[in-house]
Amino acid sequence: MKTLDVINARRTYYAINDQLPVEDTTVVDFVKKATELVPDAFNMKSARAVVVLGDKHKQLWDVIYDAFEGKVPREKIDSFKAGYGTVLYFTDEPTVKALQDQFPAYAGNFPHWAAQAVGMLEFTVWTGLHELGIGASIQHYNPVIDAAVKTLLQLPEEWHLDAQMPFGGIVSEPDPKAAEDINQRVRVIK
């Protein structure tokens, strides 16, 4: 597929199940390769990905539900829990800080550049999962869930949680994308 065809095909899938069309090792290998290949400023390599599978995936969504003390509907959380796994995206704060110290003239930009890098990683994995026939969505329950997630998965305190991507087999296709006037968002200046 050409790049725009692949991007156009990627969708937000909320209706997912725990049946993958590929082995989970294929997903893990893809996430590793994407993490290696996605570019970032100053080659900082601050983005981190954690692939959560099996019982830990289900425990993760229970912990997320508990962190909100019932304020997020159980059926919404259960829709993510019904998937096969979740990719968690983090920024390694010590990596960002080290580059801020090394290049003080750019210190204020490194957090922004780190956010760009993790965003590119999220999009790359999301698009790649779609190419594998896997449905996914991007969720942002952080910062409410940060401490509970790090405790459950025994992750470094210095990692800043950016997003959660539940994934699984596709149960149903989402509604068609709404058309927009792209000229409201893109300007051409000559």
Side-chain angles (χ1 to χ4, degrees), residues 12-182:
T12 296
Y13 287 91
Y14 292 111
I16 57 175
N17 62 29
D18 62 358
Q19 305 298 309
L20 291 185
V22 298
E23 296 294 322
D24 58 19
T25 55
T26 301
V27 173
V28 171
D29 290 345
F30 179 78
V31 171
K32 287 179 179 179
K33 197 64 176 174
T35 303
E36 178 185 354
L37 294 176
V38 166
D40 51 12
F42 285 71
N43 198 30
M44 79 171 102
K45 301 195 180 304
S46 59
R48 303 288 183 265
V50 176
V51 182
V52 186
L53 304 171
D55 289 339
K56 282 294 185 193
H57 160 74
K58 299 203 179 304
Q59 290 172 19
L60 171 68
W61 287 100
D62 285 337
V63 162
I64 291 170
Y65 178 78
D66 292 345
F68 280 94
E69 300 174 340
K71 293 180 183 122
V72 177
R74 183 79 228 192
E75 53 275 359
K76 184 171 186 180
I77 297 299
D78 283 349
S79 73
F80 305 132
K81 183 179 174 180
Y84 190 89
T86 301
V87 182
L88 299 173
Y89 297 93
F90 296 86
T91 298
D92 180 47
E93 296 296 338
T95 298
V96 175
K97 177 75 169 96
L99 284 165
Q100 288 177 305
D101 292 345
Q102 187 177 353
F103 301 100
Y106 299 103
N109 288 339
F110 281 107
H112 302 290
W113 293 335
Q116 290 170 358
V118 79
M120 287 190 289
L121 178 59
E122 292 165 16
F123 183 74
T124 299
V125 170
W126 196 357
T127 304
L129 289 176
H130 182 79
E131 280 193 297
L132 293 171
I134 297 169
S137 66
I138 193 83
Q139 303 301 314
H140 300 94
Y141 287 101
N142 46 297
V144 175
I145 66 171
D146 291 9
V149 168
K150 289 176 189 176
T151 298
L152 174 69
L153 303 176
Q154 300 179 348
L155 298 173
E157 183 60 36
E158 300 82 19
W159 286 12
H160 171 81
L161 181 58
D162 291 298
Q164 308 83 54
M165 184 177 288
F167 66 88
I170 298 170
V171 173
S172 64
E173 292 293 325
D175 293 335
K177 293 179 186 179
E180 69 173 299
D181 179 2
I182 197 61

